[in-house]
Amino acid sequence: MSSLLHSLTNEVWPRYRLFAVAGIIDGETVGSAVEGRMDPPDGRIAAGHDGLIIRTAYGDRESNAVHNRLELWDGPPPADDWEELWTGRLSLKSGLIGVEAWGAAGYSHDMEFDLGKRDQTWSTRVATEVLQTEQEPDFPHVVARIELYKIQFWTR
């Protein structure tokens, strides 16, 4: 059975309901997901060889944060009841990963996750869950709904 080695949880404020997962080199996110070489997804996720662009399920306004948990595993993570959006391979030059609003390349990112190895191809899974309570009258939907994303990495 695989074990969780390291994790980091943070939030990102998507632009146009989109956020990117990409490598970090010299303090800046790099790669196709943030340098304009990938088109936004038609569905929920677009994957390039070195990054991801994820579309949130909700976010009718620019002010909705989503919460991310990046995880490093020593093998494939166990299955759970979260909705799986994508599983595949990412080639990352840097051992650092960042999450930022899509189209915000060159701006500071709030999250740096150390995978511990450079020039590695990682097995990666993205899963999501939406926590929702009953809508309270006269309060915005954002109060009643939170989007969570798990982005899991492991080597074969």
Side-chain angles (χ1 to χ4, degrees):
M1 174 179 238
S2 300
S3 297
L4 178 65
L5 300 174
H6 178 57
S7 67
L8 178 66
T9 304
N10 207 333
E11 67 182 24
V12 65
W13 296 81
R15 290 179 65 200
Y16 312 108
R17 293 181 48 202
L18 299 170
F19 66 97
V21 178
I24 297 172
I25 296 178
D26 296 329
E28 291 190 16
T29 50
V30 297
S32 58
V34 294
E35 294 174 349
R37 297 185 312 229
M38 278 176 63
D39 290 330
D42 290 333
R44 293 289 308 279
I45 195 162
H49 71 283
D50 63 353
L52 304 168
I53 302 173
I54 301 170
R55 181 182 308 279
T56 62
Y58 301 98
D60 23 3
R61 299 185 333 211
E62 292 294 319
S63 62
N64 293 337
V66 297
H67 302 268
N68 300 288
R69 178 177 161 102
L70 284 98
E71 300 177 346
L72 177 61
W73 289 79
D74 63 1
D80 59 25
D81 59 353
W82 287 43
E83 176 188 357
E84 185 174 310
L85 296 179
W86 180 81
T87 298
R89 311 262 298 151
L90 291 179
S91 296
L92 301 168
K93 293 179 183 178
S94 170
L96 295 176
I97 294 296
V99 177
E100 67 180 30
W102 181 72
Y107 294 94
S108 64
H109 44 274
D110 293 331
M111 177 184 284
E112 273 190 22
F113 186 68
D114 190 353
L115 294 170
K117 295 181 186 175
R118 297 179 52 87
D119 297 316
Q120 180 78 31
T121 298
W122 297 90
S123 294
T124 308
R125 177 171 38 214
V126 178
T128 187
E129 183 170 74
V130 176
L131 303 179
Q132 189 160 335
T133 62
E134 294 296 319
Q135 173 89 24
E136 190 65 36
D138 301 321
F139 284 89
H141 287 283
V142 72
V143 173
R145 181 176 52 222
I146 298 172
E147 285 187 62
L148 307 175
Y149 291 86
K150 280 193 295 193
I151 304 157
Q152 302 168 313
F153 297 91
W154 70 95
T155 58
R156 289 186 179 188

